[in-house]
Amino acid sequence: TQLLEQSPQFLSIQEGENLTVYCNSSSVFSSLQWYRQEPGEGPVLLVTVVTGGEVKKLKRLTFQFGDARKDSSLHITAAQPGDTGLYLCAGEAAGNKLTFGGGTRVLVKP
Amino acid sequence: GAGVSQSPRYKVAKRGQDVALRCDPISGHVSLFWYQQALGQGPEFLTYFQNEAQLDKSGLPSDRFFAERPEGSVSTLKIQRTQQEDSAVYLCASSLGGPGNTIYFGEGSWLTVV
């Protein structure tokens, strides 16, 4: 069974602070994806990482994929209240099937 | 429509009732997925269609759960004899198919079994 564990489960910070969310897997996936989900909405794809050691940046968000393609991190610089939401990592297996982590709930207070 | 559309958005069912949840994927999308998301948790895979073929139903929790996509577009997830533990958000997603294609999620159908 392929499992993805996210940490922390919950993060509350002040506007302007930095934060990092971790995603660790017991096995290798063909790619790893990060999603953000807001209340009452479905998850929305932020980024896909494929290559071990890959780093991708999306404005204030930086995504890293571990060399062994089993772990990943999401770093947000100078967080804003609009970054509040549930952050989910997901590993992609055959047939586009996704295995999700448990999620990290981020609250950015103004 | 531009995105994945699900209906109903909210459903309250009495224990033992049957429910049907509908998903309209993005036009032209070959792959369609159903996920179940319990409160405060990440989504869990239920089943996957490629066109009308159900290629993977390994995540369906019991034989009370049944999904179909008879014409390769709209899909219905049916839950028979609902139980309280079925209370969750049911998410539908679609993609063009194949690895690397973006998966688009609907807003979900919130099911509460009382």
Side-chain angles (χ1 to χ4, degrees):
Chain A
T1 302
Q2 296 176 315
L3 291 176
L4 282 170
E5 292 189 4
Q6 287 188 239
S7 61
Q9 288 184 303
F10 179 71
L11 203 52
S12 178
I13 60 171
Q14 292 294 136
E15 182 177 1
E17 294 182 339
N18 301 333
L19 68 96
T20 302
V21 177
Y22 299 93
C23 176
N24 294 294
S25 169
S26 58
S27 54
V28 176
F29 291 93
S30 60
S31 73
L32 197 137
Q33 303 177 10
W34 284 93
Y35 290 81
R36 187 171 83 190
Q37 185 178 24
E38 300 190 23
E41 306 289 332
V44 175
L45 180 67
L46 296 174
V47 78
T48 300
V49 286
V50 179
T51 306
E54 186 175 2
V55 176
K56 282 192 173 179
K57 291 193 174 184
L58 186 66
K59 296 183 180 178
R60 294 176 293 100
L61 279 60
T62 301
F63 304 86
Q64 288 190 301
F65 202 15
D67 291 339
R69 296 169 61 215
K70 286 188 175 183
D71 56 276
S72 181
S73 65
L74 157 60
H75 183 78
I76 302 179
T77 303
Q80 299 176 1
D83 296 325
T84 292
L86 178 67
Y87 288 83
L88 296 158
C89 67
E92 182 179 7
N96 251 175
K97 177 179 173 179
L98 296 177
T99 299
F100 282 89
T104 296
R105 194 164 298 278
V106 171
L107 174 63
V108 183
K109 293 180 282 188
Chain B
V4 178
S5 178
Q6 293 188 243
S7 62
R9 286 295 318 277
Y10 305 94
K11 176 70 178 180
V12 178
K14 290 185 178 179
R15 191 168 46 186
Q17 276 186 331
D18 297 348
V19 299
L21 308 176
R22 177 188 169 105
C23 173
D24 282 85
I26 294 172
S27 178
H29 277 194
V30 169
S31 297
L32 185 145
F33 308 85
W34 284 98
Y35 287 84
Q36 180 191 58
Q37 187 174 23
L39 191 63
Q41 297 183 21
E44 292 194 0
F45 172 81
L46 293 177
T47 187
Y48 158 58
F49 291 86
Q50 186 173 311
N51 295 306
E52 69 278 4
Q54 190 174 19
L55 298 186
D56 188 341
K57 55 182 181 179
S58 61
L60 296 176
S62 76
D63 58 7
R64 297 186 296 104
F65 286 72
F66 173 76
E68 60 183 6
R69 194 186 186 197
E71 297 179 359
S73 55
V74 171
S75 177
T76 304
L77 176 66
K78 296 179 180 178
I79 309 173
Q80 297 177 323
R81 304 180 304 281
T82 53
Q83 301 177 4
Q84 283 190 315
E85 60 261 33
D86 300 335
S87 296
V89 177
Y90 291 86
L91 294 164
C92 179
S94 70
S95 78
L96 287 171
N101 280 293
T102 300
I103 297 170
Y104 297 89
F105 283 83
E107 294 178 318
S109 289
W110 292 61
L111 173 65
T112 302
V113 182
V114 298

